[in-house]
Amino acid sequence: MAASDTETSATRSPREQPALKRVMGPKLLLLFIVGDILGTGVYALTGDVASEVGGAAWLPFLIAFAVAMVTAFSYLELVTKYPQAAGAALYTHKAFGIHVFTFLVAFVVMSSGITSASTASRAFASNLVEGFELDLGDSGVLFIALGFMALVALVNFRGVGESVKANVVLTLIELSGLLLVIMVGLWAFVDGDPDFSRVVAFESAQDKGTFLAVTTATSLAFFAMVGFEDSVNMAEETKDPVKIFPKVMLTGLTVTGIIYVLVAIVSVALVPVGQLADSDTPLVEVVRAGAPGLPIGDILPFISMFAVANSALINMLMASRLIYGMARHRVLPPVLGRVHQDRCTPWVAILFTTGLSVLLITYVSLASSDAVAVLGGTTSLLLLAVFAVVNVAVLVLRRDTSATKYFRAPTVLPVIGVVACVFLVTPLSGRPSTQYVLAGWVLVIGLVLFGVTLLINRRLGVKPEGLGDAEELQG
C-alpha cells in the first residue's frame, strides 16, 4: 500500500503544481533584458575584440547586434505563439518532435546559463577581494564565490518578484558604470585630444584577412549580445506576453546595441589598441585616459562586482525556469517541476541548478584563465547553434495555425538568421578547435543524461512525452 502511494505521488503530473505568478510588467521585463544582455561581457570583451580588428572594434559589435536582432524576431513570434516556460526547447520539440534533439537543445541552453552564472560568481569574488584589498588567496576567493551563489539561490527562491526587483537595482548600477565610460569619452572629445583616426583603422595582430578577422571578432562580440533569449523562459511570469514581449525585447536589444557601439568607439579613440588588448580591465584604461583625476581604480571593482552579480542572478533564474519547464513536460523527472506551496517558485529546480553551479565554480577556480576563455567561447558557439535551430523552427511552425493572435516575423529574417548563425558556428568564422572539442564533450554529457532520464521515467511509470505531443502540430 505504501509503495503504491509513493508511486502515485512520484508520477503525479507536474501540471498539478501551483502556477507561477505573473508579476513582470513592461518596465521590469525591459530591465531584465537590458541587464542580462549587458552582463559581464562588455566589461571584459572590448579589448579582446579590438585585438582582432584594431580600431574598428565597433564593427563586430554592430554585426553581432544585427544577428541578435534578426534572431530576436524569431523568438518573438514563438514566445507570443507559445507563451510558456522552456523557450528554445519547447519550440524545438513542437517543430521537430525528436525527444533527444529537444533534450540536447534544452541542455545546451541550461548549461550556458549555469556556465555564465558560475563564471560571474568567480568574477564577483575576485572584484570583492580587489575592491576591499583583501588577501585571502585562491581558497578564500572560491569560498566567497560559493557563498555568493548560495545568496543568489536564496533570492531566486524568494520569488521572481524579489529576484527581478534585485535585478532592477543591479542593472541601474551596471548601466551607471557604462554611462560613466561614455560620459568620460564625451568629456575627453571636447577638452582632450582623442585620436579619431584609430576608430576606422583596421589591423589584425595575427595577419588575418579582413573578412576572417571581422568574423572572428564578431564571434567574440556575440557572446556579449546573448541574454535576450533568457527572457522567453520568463513568459509564464509575464503579465501579458503577447502584447508586452515584442516592443520590450526589441527596445532592450536596441538600447544595449547602442551602448556597446558607443563604448567601443570611446575605447579605441582614447586608448591605443595594444594597450586595450593587453589589459584585463580595458574600461578602466579608458576612464584613466579620459579623466586621469578620477579614482576609477577604487570605483570600478565595485561597479563590476554588481554587474557580474546581475548576470549570475538572471542566468540562474533562466536555468531554474528552464529545468522547471522541462520537468513539467516530462523531459526531466517530475520532481524537478515541483513548486513551493508558499513561495510559488520551482524550488527543486533551483537546488539542482545551484548544485551544478557549485561544481562548475570549483572547476573554473582550479582551471587556467585560458580554460575560462575557451569555456566562454564554447558557450557562444553552442548558443549560436541553438539560435540556428530556433530560426528554422519558426519557419516549420508556420504550419501550426491553432494560435490566432501572435507576433509574426517577416519570413526573410529567420532565413538570414539561419545563414548567419550557422556560419558563425563553423570553423570558417575563425573559431579555435578547442571550442569544438569542449562542445563535443558537452553534447556527449547531454546524451548520457538523456539516457539516464529515460530509465528514471520508465522506472517511475512516467511516459516520456517530451515538450508536447506531435498531434499538437496538426492543429
Side-chain angles (χ1 to χ4, degrees):
M1 182 67 178
S4 177
D5 292 342
T6 300
E7 182 177 355
T8 301
S9 175
T11 59
R12 185 178 298 159
S13 171
R15 294 184 179 85
E16 296 178 11
Q17 297 292 322
L20 300 180
K21 290 183 178 179
R22 294 190 179 273
V23 298
M24 295 183 70
K27 294 180 181 178
L28 286 179
L29 184 61
L30 178 61
L31 285 170
F32 183 97
I33 293 172
V34 170
D36 198 7
I37 296 175
L38 291 179
T40 58
V42 70
Y43 284 91
L45 286 178
T46 306
D48 294 329
V49 172
S51 69
E52 292 288 344
V53 295
W58 53 271
L59 181 59
F61 282 110
L62 188 60
I63 296 174
F65 163 72
V67 175
M69 181 66 78
V70 167
T71 302
F73 274 88
S74 294
Y75 270 98
L76 285 175
E77 177 168 334
L78 293 171
V79 74
T80 55
K81 196 173 186 178
Y82 310 106
Q84 304 167 29
L90 173 66
Y91 314 144
T92 299
H93 188 81
K94 285 184 174 294
F96 307 108
I98 303 174
H99 297 296
V100 64
F101 191 34
T102 302
F103 185 89
L104 287 177
V105 168
F107 180 77
V108 166
V109 175
M110 182 203 70
S111 297
S112 69
I114 294 176
T115 299
S116 178
S118 301
T119 306
S121 69
R122 171 70 188 193
F124 175 91
S126 298
N127 278 284
L128 186 147
V129 169
E130 180 179 347
F132 287 104
E133 298 181 352
L134 303 175
D135 185 16
L136 300 178
D138 291 339
S139 59
V141 173
L142 175 59
F143 179 78
I144 292 173
L146 296 178
F148 170 71
M149 284 309 302
L151 178 61
V152 169
L154 288 175
V155 175
N156 197 352
F157 172 74
R158 282 283 301 171
V160 69
E162 287 78 1
S163 300
V164 175
K165 288 174 184 176
N167 166 247
V168 170
V169 176
L170 295 174
T171 296
L172 293 176
I173 296 174
E174 183 178 19
L175 278 172
S176 70
L178 298 176
L179 292 177
L180 173 65
V181 174
I182 295 173
M183 293 298 292
V184 166
L186 294 177
W187 176 266
F189 291 169
V190 174
D191 291 350
D193 187 23
D195 187 356
F196 286 104
S197 65
R198 289 200 296 255
V199 177
V200 293
F202 175 86
E203 56 181 305
S204 176
Q206 300 175 348
D207 295 325
K208 295 180 181 179
T210 301
F211 183 76
L212 183 59
V214 170
T215 56
T216 302
T218 300
S219 297
L220 289 172
F222 196 84
F223 183 75
M225 288 303 306
V226 299
F228 67 89
E229 80 285 352
D230 290 348
S231 64
V232 302
N233 291 295
M234 309 302 292
E236 292 188 43
E237 292 164 280
T238 301
K239 291 181 180 179
D240 188 354
V242 175
K243 180 180 179 180
I244 290 176
F245 259 96
K247 183 178 180 179
V248 172
M249 183 181 287
L250 297 180
T251 300
L253 272 170
T254 302
V255 168
T256 53
I258 292 173
I259 291 174
Y260 277 5
V261 171
L262 289 177
V263 168
I265 292 175
V266 167
S267 299
V268 297
L270 295 181
V271 181
V273 171
Q275 187 177 344
L276 278 177
D278 293 338
S279 176
D280 292 331
T281 55
L283 299 190
V284 175
E285 303 297 332
V286 174
V287 177
R288 282 175 178 165
L294 191 66
I296 188 62
D298 298 328
I299 298 174
L300 199 62
F302 295 99
I303 295 178
S304 300
M305 191 168 65
F306 284 112
V308 298
N310 199 28
S311 295
L313 176 60
I314 293 176
N315 277 283
M316 293 307 288
L317 271 171
M318 178 276 294
S320 61
R321 268 54 180 185
L322 178 54
I323 289 292
Y324 157 80
M326 293 170 66
R328 193 184 69 165
H329 293 281
R330 297 176 181 174
V331 174
L332 288 177
V335 65
L336 291 173
R338 290 184 181 274
V339 176
H340 195 271
Q341 294 290 337
D342 297 327
R343 302 306 312 171
C344 292
T345 51
W347 66 277
V348 179
I350 291 171
L351 289 177
F352 178 74
T353 52
T354 302
L356 289 180
S357 71
V358 167
L359 295 176
L360 189 55
I361 291 168
T362 304
Y363 166 76
V364 171
S365 297
L366 298 176
S368 66
S369 58
D370 288 339
V372 174
V374 170
L375 192 59
T378 305
T379 302
S380 174
L381 167 67
L382 294 173
L383 282 177
L384 280 164
V386 171
F387 291 170
V389 172
V390 170
N391 281 309
V392 173
V394 73
L395 297 174
V396 173
L397 288 171
R398 292 279 173 86
R399 66 189 183 188
D400 180 8
T401 58
S402 58
T404 58
K405 183 181 178 182
Y406 61 91
F407 178 90
R408 185 179 176 90
T411 303
V412 66
L413 294 184
V415 175
I416 294 174
V418 171
V419 175
C421 291
V422 169
F423 175 79
L424 291 173
V425 164
T426 66
L428 295 175
S429 64
R431 289 184 178 275
S433 59
T434 50
Q435 294 183 11
Y436 295 100
V437 173
L438 186 56
W441 280 111
V442 167
L443 293 177
V444 168
I445 293 172
L447 287 171
V448 171
L449 289 179
F450 179 75
V452 171
T453 301
L454 287 179
L455 292 177
I456 293 174
N457 284 342
R458 288 176 182 174
R459 185 173 182 82
L460 294 175
V462 176
K463 181 181 178 182
E465 296 175 348
L467 293 174
D469 297 324
E471 289 77 13
E472 292 177 358
L473 301 179
Q474 307 301 322

